[in-house]
Amino acid sequence: MKEIPRIIELPKILDKRGNLSFVEYPGQIPFEIYRTYWIYDVPGGEIRGSHAFKEQLEFIIALSGSFDVVLHNGAEEVKYSLNRSYYGLYVPKMHWRRIENFSTNSLALIVSDSAFSESDYIRDFDEFKELKNGK
Ligand code: TYD
C-alpha cells in the first residue's frame, strides 16, 4: 500500500470543548514521521509544488481552509480536494504533485518521512515521466 495515493481519515475526538484529531505512526500513516512543514499566506491563484520526490513520502492535511492536491502518476492525473482537518492525502514517492486553488487563510500541513533534500526533488515534468515510465 506504500505505492498507492489515498485519502486517510484521521481519528476525531469529539468534545463540547472543541474537537481533536491526530496523526501517528503506525496508527494512521504508512511511514515514520521525520519532518513537518506548512504552507500558509498563499496569495489567490498561486500554485505550490509542481515536483516529484524520488524517495520522500508525504501526508498532506488541510488544517484550515481548503485546497486541491493534483497528483500525476506518469500516466494519469487525479485531483484530491482537501477541506477538513480530520483527513489527509498520502502521497507516495514518484508522484508529480501540485497544490492549487488555496482558499483565503488556508493552512497546509505536510508530514514527511525524511529530512529536506534538494537532490530528492524532480522539478522537470518530462524528466519525471521518463524516470517513471522507464524511458
Ligand atoms: P519547495 O518544496 O520547492 O516548495 P513547494 O513545493 O511547496 O512549492 O520549497 C521551497 C523552498 O523552501 C526551497 O528553496 C527549499 C526550501 N525548503 C527547506 O529549506 N526545507 C523544507 O523542509 C522545505 C519543504 C523547503
Side-chain angles (χ1 to χ4, degrees):
M1 285 292 272
K2 267 205 157 174
E3 304 76 31
I4 302 167
R6 60 191 179 279
I7 296 284
I8 295 175
E9 189 149 353
L10 301 172
K12 195 161 130 197
I13 316 292
L14 299 176
D15 193 307
K16 289 197 294 284
R17 301 168 300 160
N19 301 333
L20 182 154
S21 289
F22 59 89
V23 56
E24 187 175 51
Y25 171 82
Q28 283 77 42
I29 53 173
F31 60 82
E32 210 161 333
I33 297 164
Y34 187 94
R35 175 173 54 112
T36 186
Y37 61 97
W38 46 100
I39 297 171
Y40 54 98
D41 289 348
V42 179
E46 286 293 345
I47 296 176
R48 299 289 315 220
S50 297
H51 50 63
F53 296 110
K54 293 175 200 157
E55 294 297 335
Q56 193 190 167
L57 312 174
E58 289 188 333
F59 183 63
I60 304 176
I61 309 168
L63 278 190
S64 180
S66 63
F67 49 81
D68 297 332
V69 183
V70 184
L71 294 187
H72 200 298
N73 64 8
E76 58 177 7
E77 197 171 80
V78 180
K79 184 192 286 187
Y80 299 86
S81 294
L82 299 183
N83 55 22
R84 293 283 183 267
S85 59
Y86 52 83
Y87 59 77
L89 175 66
Y90 168 63
V91 182
K93 64 181 176 181
M94 287 304 281
H95 279 68
W96 188 267
R97 72 137 168 91
R98 64 175 198 273
I99 312 179
E100 62 188 26
N101 199 22
F102 287 89
S103 69
T104 306
N105 289 331
S106 58
L107 172 59
L109 180 75
I110 296 128
V111 173
S112 158
D113 75 325
S114 47
F116 173 75
S117 164
E118 185 60 43
S119 64
D120 193 49
Y121 281 73
I122 304 167
R123 294 192 182 272
D124 182 273
F125 187 64
D126 290 336
E127 183 191 345
F128 163 72
K129 276 207 296 193
E130 279 173 23
L131 283 170
K132 189 81 185 178
N133 299 320
K135 277 175 211 149

